[in-house]
């Protein structure tokens, strides 16, 4: 019994020491180094325009317009109703509420054999075609829609889209903004992040940076 | 499928092996008390820690003393973490609860504390919607370190049991029964292994964009005038140990899929390496401590063959796409500028291969961090994590727990091999007798039994079915969700088919969540039982083996360091997993994988 009591006391001391070392000192050291050497990364790669915060390079946003009804913002289940802003590139479908909500990320959990999933994907395809179809030469069909434009992302705040997805949206953005397609395509190329070290990850287009570059034109 | 995808898997296996070899050598030095290059730096703090907790390190412990220390340490850790989570609001004075989150309800706290104590990190809570920075760093992250250390020290104790040579005359002395000193092993694991590795990984991740700050969440209006919020926090420090310790509890709800936890294809690679590094290195540590590195290589080969098989199957299945995608009219072949495949619940920057490999890495180990939604994997792609869990986490496995579980399978294989050739089974010179093999068999069966028992209970009762997310799951998927939940908790993995839930997310504007008592308690008890019972069996076996007579290898000795043994070992693992889990697997993932039918 005394053995057990001694061991419990030792355990308590050990936990307190470890809490100070691993729970306080260690994160503070990492924070300190971050502030000294990696300030922008530690803060979340924030982007400011004219001194005003407009987002993080790493976090996807909903580039949408508030829908108004009788002059007031429309809500559905307490969530603002929005429609995509055709002047901007759009991020991937999101499983969070509201879309691209970084304060409460969640998976959509759509199963591979589920009717719910099929309906959700079909709705995403329809929305994508409705937005981009009439600008795309020859029109869009479901078979031409890139998977990343129809499948919900994991985090719900995926900052990137595929190159194919960006190329399709470029036709719409160029037409709506009365820009030459070549100009928009050049921006897409410029904000395409290649594979790290030449083989890690997939080529992706950062949507926030691309949209901000469009506004700067 | 692309050449980049296959290249990723291949290069990953190579880099992992290249890093695990030197780390394995270093860890062998750490656990046999040899000098290491870290001694000048860490020797002082080490002695200070011993003095602070009052340990005489020259004293070895027999297995019962070792187990007593381990249980005492876990008990105190459990109570301390429960206290921290239940009094979250009291710690707001530190400024580390900027969002003013409420304390955790008792049932969710029971589950969460049991989960972090057992290195499971099953999460019935959303990190960024319920947890203060204080709870994350001073509560959860501390257990990330020490629960990983507990797993490692048990493996080291079993290794000592197997490899220690006791001279004939001293077999009954007190020192001959020693399997090491728990406190010394614990301190050395934390100081010499986990802390330096975590610091290194944290800094690499930080430099690539994983955030580390104590700021309030940032609210702003986007360029199209939509109000948005960015969650913040000390992520990098916790992210590192979450991976290095194969814990897997994400800072954010979507874990390593969240761009602030895993921003690029490069960090994805680093994170996968961080997960497998210690489990892989420990195998080499074992070979060195056994004085025959080939013993380690044989086990490593077994693990690597099964790992590569799992990765290949998962990648092929995910690249093929899902029935739901095809029914909706999508083309899932690889085309210029798109990944193709089943990108549902996956991030663009990782693509198909980066997501499939990550989730194989995380389910062969007991990590459970995910970078994509497991529930959205195809039937066969999702059956791979199931199969990995069904093999009781021995393909690398959790830090420590993977090796001690694997050594149990090795002893079982030696026993079966002995029966086949009609000799008393021996492993590294020590006879494996009835007493040990009974404990080994029990130790192997505990995990599947608790998984199946809890699944049956949860499926058969309406209280258990209340956790199923009926909005998205029905039929076989609902069963898969439930089965995976208890399989994952029993294996101390922590990854989830995340539709199955034990708590209700706080509604917008509210800061407290509430739990689903049945799922919280059943899961909590499953994790505790399936963690500590095998640990006790392991320490007991270590104690029985440690002072056994060592007989030199003869002509008739079955070799355990060649290809024949690797094949036998794989056979035993697959057989035990298939026999225990096949009926249940048929009802869920296999049905989903074999049919194109939608439910």
């Amino acid at each position: 019994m005394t053995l057990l009591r001694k061991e419990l006391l030792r355990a308590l001391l050990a936990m307190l020491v470890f809490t100070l070392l691993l729970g306080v000192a260690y994160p503070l050291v990492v924070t300190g180094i971050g502030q000294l050497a990696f300030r922008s990364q530690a803060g979340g790669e924030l982007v400011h325009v004219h001194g005003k915060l407009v987002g993080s390079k790493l976090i996807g946003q909903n580039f949408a317009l508030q829908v108004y009804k009788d002059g007031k913002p429309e809500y559905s289940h307490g969530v603002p109703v929005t429609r995509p802003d055709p002047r901007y590139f759009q991020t991937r479908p999101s499983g969070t509420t509201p879309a691209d909500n970084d304060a409460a990320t969640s998976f959509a959990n759509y199963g591979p054999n589920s009717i719910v999933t099929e309906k959700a994907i079909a709705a995403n395809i329809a929305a994508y075609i409705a937005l981009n179809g009439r600008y795309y030469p020859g029109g869009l069909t479901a078979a031409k829609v890139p998977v990343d434009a129809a499948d919900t992302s994991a985090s719900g705040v995926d900052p990137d889209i595929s190159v194919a997805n960006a190329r399709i949206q470029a036709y719409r953005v160029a037409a709506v903004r009365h820009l030459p397609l070549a100009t928009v395509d050049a921006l897409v190329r410029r904000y395409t992040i290649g594979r790290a070290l030449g083989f890690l990850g997939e080529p992706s287009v950062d949507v926030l940076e691309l949209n901000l570059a469009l506004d700067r034109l | 499928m692309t050449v980049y995808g296959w290249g990723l898997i291949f290069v990953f296996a190579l880099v992992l092996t290249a890093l695990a070899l030197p780390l394995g050598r270093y860890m062998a030095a750490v656990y046999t008390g040899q000098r290491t290059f870290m001694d000048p730096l860490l020797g002082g703090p080490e002695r200070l820690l011993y003095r602070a907790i009052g340990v005489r390190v020259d004293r070895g412990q027999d297995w019962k003393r070792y187990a007593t220390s381990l249980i005492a340490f876990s008990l105190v850790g459990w109570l301390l973490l429960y206290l921290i989570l239940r009094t979250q609001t009291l710690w707001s004075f530190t400024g580390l609860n900027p969002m003013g989150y409420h304390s955790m309800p008792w049932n969710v706290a029971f589950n969460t504390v049991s989960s972090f104590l057992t290195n499971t990190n099953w999460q019935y809570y959303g990190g960024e919607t319920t947890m203060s920075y204080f709870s994350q760093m001073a509560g959860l992250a501390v257990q990330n370190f020490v629960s990983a250390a507990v797993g490692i020290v048990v493996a080291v104790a079993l290794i000592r049991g197997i490899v220690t040579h006791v001279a004939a005359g001293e077999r009954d002395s007190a020192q001959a029964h020693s399997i090491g000193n728990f406190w010394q092993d614990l301190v050395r694991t934390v100081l010499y292994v986990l802390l330096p590795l975590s610091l290194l990984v944290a800094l690499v991740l930080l430099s690539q964009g994983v955030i580390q700050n104590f700021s309030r969440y940032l609210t702003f209006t986007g360029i199209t005038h939509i109000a948005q919020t960015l969650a913040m926090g000390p992520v990098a420090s916790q992210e590192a140990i979450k991976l290095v310790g194969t814990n897997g509890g994400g800072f954010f709800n979507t874990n390593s899929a969240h761009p602030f936890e895993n921003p690029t294809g490069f960090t994805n690679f680093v994170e996968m390496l961080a997960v497998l590094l210690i489990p892989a290195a420990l195998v080499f540590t074992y070979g060195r401590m056994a004085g025959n590195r080939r013993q380690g290589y044989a086990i490593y080969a077994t693990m690597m063959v099964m790992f590569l098989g799992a990765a290949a199957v998962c990648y092929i299945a995910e690249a093929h796409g899902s029935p739901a995608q095809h029914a909706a009219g999508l083309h899932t072949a690889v085309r210029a500028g798109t990944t193709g495949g089943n990108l549902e619940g996956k991030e663009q920057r990782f693509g198909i291969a980066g997501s499939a490999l990550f989730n194989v890495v995380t389910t062969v180990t007991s990590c459970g961090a995910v970078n994509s939604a497991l529930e959205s994997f195809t039937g066969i792609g999702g059956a791979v994590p199931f199969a990995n869990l069904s093999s009781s986490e021995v393909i690398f496995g959790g830090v420590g727990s993977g090796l001690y579980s694997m050594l149990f399978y090795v002893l079982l294989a030696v026993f079966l091999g002995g029966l086949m050739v009609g000799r008393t089974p021996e492993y590294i010179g020590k006879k494996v007798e009835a007493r040990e093999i009974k404990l080994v068999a029990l130790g192997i069966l505990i995990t599947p039994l608790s998984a199946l028992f809890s699944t049956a209970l949860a499926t058969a009762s309406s209280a258990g079915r209340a956790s199923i997310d009926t909005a998205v799951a029905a039929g076989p998927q609902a069963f898969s969700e439930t089965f995976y939940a208890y399989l994952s908790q029993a294996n101390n993995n922590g990854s989830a088919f995340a539709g199955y839930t034990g708590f209700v997310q706080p509604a917008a504007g509210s800061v407290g969540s509430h739990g689903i008592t049945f799922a919280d308690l059943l899961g909590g008890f499953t994790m505790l039982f399936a963690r500590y019972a095998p640990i006790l069996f392991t320490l007991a076996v270590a104690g029985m083996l440690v002072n056994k007579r060592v007989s030199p290898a003869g002509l008739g000795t079955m070799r355990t360091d060649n290809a024949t043994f690797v094949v036998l070992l794989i056979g035993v693992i697959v057989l035990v997993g298939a026999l225990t889990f096949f009926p249940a697997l048929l009802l869920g993932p296999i049905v989903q994988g074999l049919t194109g039918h939608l439910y």
Side-chain angles (χ1 to χ4, degrees):
Chain A
M1 212 52 230
T2 51
L3 169 74
L4 189 63
R5 206 174 311 143
K6 225 157 101 190
E7 289 297 273
L8 284 172
L9 182 67
R10 202 168 270 163
L12 183 63
L13 286 171
M15 271 315 294
L16 293 178
V17 172
F18 280 139
T19 302
L20 285 178
L21 176 70
L22 309 169
V24 180
Y26 161 69
L28 287 182
V29 166
V30 175
T31 311
I33 297 176
Q35 288 306 311
L36 288 176
F38 309 111
R39 190 167 262 259
S40 142
Q41 292 96 319
E45 301 279 17
L46 302 179
V47 183
H48 294 85
V49 172
H50 304 307
K52 204 173 134 284
L53 179 64
V54 295
S56 158
K57 270 184 213 173
L58 298 177
I59 301 296
Q61 297 185 27
N62 185 15
F63 296 98
L65 297 168
Q66 171 72 48
V67 172
Y68 288 87
K69 196 177 175 188
D70 309 326
K72 283 185 205 145
E74 192 183 343
Y75 283 82
S76 154
H77 302 290
V79 176
V81 179
T82 60
R83 63 184 175 84
D85 186 337
R87 294 172 303 156
Y88 291 106
F89 283 87
Q90 298 294 317
T91 49
R92 296 182 55 197
S94 162
T96 64
T97 329
D100 297 276
N101 179 9
D102 186 55
T105 57
S106 64
F107 298 130
N109 290 323
Y110 288 132
N113 296 62
S114 150
I115 294 169
V116 182
T117 312
E118 192 225 338
K119 284 189 178 144
I121 293 178
N124 290 339
I125 294 173
Y128 190 78
I129 294 178
L131 185 65
N132 300 296
R134 63 197 166 105
Y135 303 102
Y136 191 73
L140 276 176
T141 58
K144 286 185 195 164
V145 174
V147 283
D148 68 299
D151 286 345
T152 311
S153 69
S155 63
V157 291
D158 192 338
D160 304 319
I161 54 178
S162 71
V163 177
N165 184 350
R167 295 292 302 273
I168 292 173
Q169 293 196 47
Y171 287 97
R172 162 179 51 86
V173 173
V176 173
R177 287 182 176 248
H178 307 295
L179 289 169
L181 180 64
T183 311
V184 180
D185 271 345
L187 283 184
V188 168
R189 272 198 298 280
R190 189 160 151 213
Y191 290 100
T192 300
I193 309 151
R195 294 187 166 90
L197 307 179
F199 74 106
L200 296 173
E202 296 288 338
S204 320
V205 183
D206 189 297
V207 182
L208 176 64
E209 290 199 280
L210 180 58
N211 284 339
L212 289 174
L214 279 171
D215 278 352
R216 282 198 299 267
L217 282 177
Chain B
M1 285 172 286
T2 62
V3 62
Y4 290 102
W6 290 113
L8 171 71
I9 295 171
F10 181 67
V11 171
F12 177 76
L14 281 185
V15 174
L16 173 69
T17 310
L19 291 178
L21 277 165
L23 181 64
R25 190 170 63 219
Y26 167 76
M27 286 173 74
V30 168
Y31 293 113
T32 48
Q34 295 162 28
R35 265 191 82 76
T36 70
F37 70 99
M38 296 295 268
D39 279 25
L41 189 66
L42 296 175
E46 185 189 354
R47 283 185 292 276
L48 200 67
L49 273 177
Y50 293 144
R51 196 164 328 143
I53 53 182
V55 182
R56 293 266 313 271
V57 292
D58 48 348
R59 276 196 202 151
Q61 296 174 308
D62 66 13
W63 80 265
K64 284 178 189 153
R65 292 284 294 264
Y66 203 96
T68 310
S69 301
L70 187 149
I71 295 294
F73 182 67
S74 302
L75 189 66
V76 170
W78 197 99
L79 292 170
L80 188 67
L81 184 56
Y82 188 80
L83 189 75
I84 288 177
L85 296 184
R86 293 285 288 147
T87 58
Q88 182 161 279
T89 46
L90 284 187
W91 300 92
S92 299
F93 74 90
T94 55
L96 295 172
N97 188 5
M99 304 311 291
Y101 288 137
H102 289 182
S103 305
M104 213 179 223
W106 71 273
N107 40 18
V108 184
F110 176 84
N111 187 279
T112 306
V113 173
S114 307
S115 167
F116 277 74
L117 248 288
T118 55
N119 200 250
T120 311
N121 296 37
W122 178 268
Q123 293 174 293
Y124 276 147
Y125 66 88
E128 71 271 40
T129 52
T130 58
M131 281 286 175
S132 73
Y133 299 159
F134 182 84
S135 300
Q136 298 252 35
M137 57 186 254
L140 300 179
V142 174
Q143 276 303 329
N144 278 356
F145 275 99
V146 297
S147 70
V150 165
I152 295 176
V153 304
V154 173
V156 170
L158 179 59
I159 295 177
R160 291 200 188 106
I162 292 173
V163 307
T164 302
H165 285 212
V166 176
E170 295 164 13
R171 202 156 291 132
D172 293 318
S173 71
Q175 200 54 34
H177 288 92
S178 163
I179 55 170
N181 182 305
F182 172 78
W183 300 106
Q184 182 182 19
D185 288 343
L186 181 74
V187 166
R188 283 180 78 84
T189 305
V190 168
L191 272 190
Y192 283 79
V193 182
L194 295 175
L195 195 52
L197 266 180
S198 297
L199 195 59
L200 188 70
V201 172
L203 293 181
V204 171
L205 293 179
L206 184 55
S207 74
Q208 299 299 311
V210 178
I211 60 174
Q212 178 80 14
N213 60 57
F214 298 106
S215 155
R216 270 187 69 83
Y217 294 3
L218 304 172
T219 53
F220 64 95
T221 316
I223 51 179
T224 59
H225 307 292
I226 299 284
Q228 325 204 19
T229 306
L230 290 175
M232 293 278 123
V235 181
S237 54
Q238 188 164 337
E239 185 73 14
I241 183 59
K242 159 192 132 181
L243 302 160
V244 168
T246 64
N247 297 282
F251 194 93
F252 298 112
N253 192 33
T254 48
N255 215 307
S256 280
H258 196 292
F260 278 160
E261 287 200 20
N262 193 0
T264 67
F266 176 68
T267 55
N268 197 48
F269 191 75
V270 172
E271 294 197 358
M272 291 190 290
L273 276 180
V275 171
L276 273 185
L277 200 49
I278 292 181
L282 267 174
V283 181
F284 297 130
T285 303
Y286 169 64
R288 283 187 170 267
M289 287 175 74
N292 175 1
R293 279 181 243 165
R294 286 176 56 101
Q295 301 288 354
Y297 297 155
I299 294 179
Y300 191 83
T302 308
M303 291 172 165
M304 191 48 103
V305 166
M306 297 182 78
F307 170 72
L308 289 177
V313 171
C314 191
Y315 180 40
I316 293 170
E318 290 310 299
H320 180 70
S322 73
Q325 282 181 308
H326 298 142
L330 271 186
H331 271 212
T332 53
V334 181
R335 282 176 296 179
T338 137
T339 59
N342 177 24
L343 207 63
E344 178 64 47
K346 297 188 178 65
E347 297 281 284
Q348 169 65 30
R349 62 191 179 282
F350 310 139
I352 303 295
S355 303
L357 184 62
F358 193 105
N359 282 4
V360 170
V361 165
T362 199
T363 51
V364 293
T365 62
S366 77
C367 182
V370 291
N371 77 346
S372 42
L374 276 182
E375 183 146 9
S376 300
F377 271 45
T378 59
I380 296 299
V384 170
F386 265 109
N388 290 340
L389 293 183
S390 305
S391 64
S392 300
E393 304 287 27
V394 296
I395 313 168
F396 295 109
V399 286
S401 61
L403 183 62
Y404 66 69
S405 308
M406 181 54 124
L407 287 173
F408 266 32
Y409 272 101
V410 168
L411 290 174
L412 187 64
V414 164
F415 176 71
L416 292 178
L419 288 185
M420 284 185 222
V421 298
R423 270 180 59 101
T424 314
E426 270 174 20
Y427 186 52
I428 318 206
K430 292 189 176 174
K431 280 202 171 71
V432 181
E433 288 163 297
R435 229 167 29 134
E436 289 92 50
I437 212 67
K438 271 183 204 157
L439 285 182
V440 165
L442 274 176
I444 286 177
L445 286 177
I446 279 174
T447 307
L449 276 181
S450 28
L452 291 173
F453 176 79
S454 298
T455 307
L457 208 59
T459 314
S461 64
S462 57
R465 291 194 299 271
S467 289
I468 294 169
D469 182 357
T470 45
V472 296
Q477 195 188 341
F479 179 75
S480 291
E481 241 181 49
T482 312
F483 182 28
Y484 197 89
Y486 294 100
L487 188 58
S488 171
Q489 293 182 82
N491 276 293
N492 298 140
N493 180 281
S495 66
F497 277 39
Y500 194 85
T501 186
F503 84 113
V504 179
Q505 278 264 16
S510 150
V511 283
S513 64
H514 63 273
I516 300 170
T517 305
F518 181 90
D520 292 340
L521 293 189
L522 182 62
F525 284 120
T526 306
M527 288 185 274
L528 289 172
F529 181 67
R531 168 81 166 179
Y532 288 104
I535 282 185
L536 291 181
F537 284 134
T538 306
L539 292 176
V541 170
M544 289 171 185
L545 289 176
V546 71
N547 61 343
K548 277 203 181 194
R549 200 162 62 91
V550 178
S551 42
L555 263 180
T557 309
M558 191 177 80
R559 293 191 58 171
T560 52
D561 58 356
N562 59 11
T564 315
F565 186 73
V566 170
V567 173
L568 176 67
L569 186 54
I570 293 178
V572 170
I573 294 168
V574 171
L575 208 64
V576 171
L579 285 178
T580 40
F581 285 113
F582 206 65
L585 289 173
L586 271 179
L587 295 174
I590 295 181
V591 169
Q592 283 181 286
L594 290 184
T595 165
H597 182 71
L598 301 189
Y599 296 91

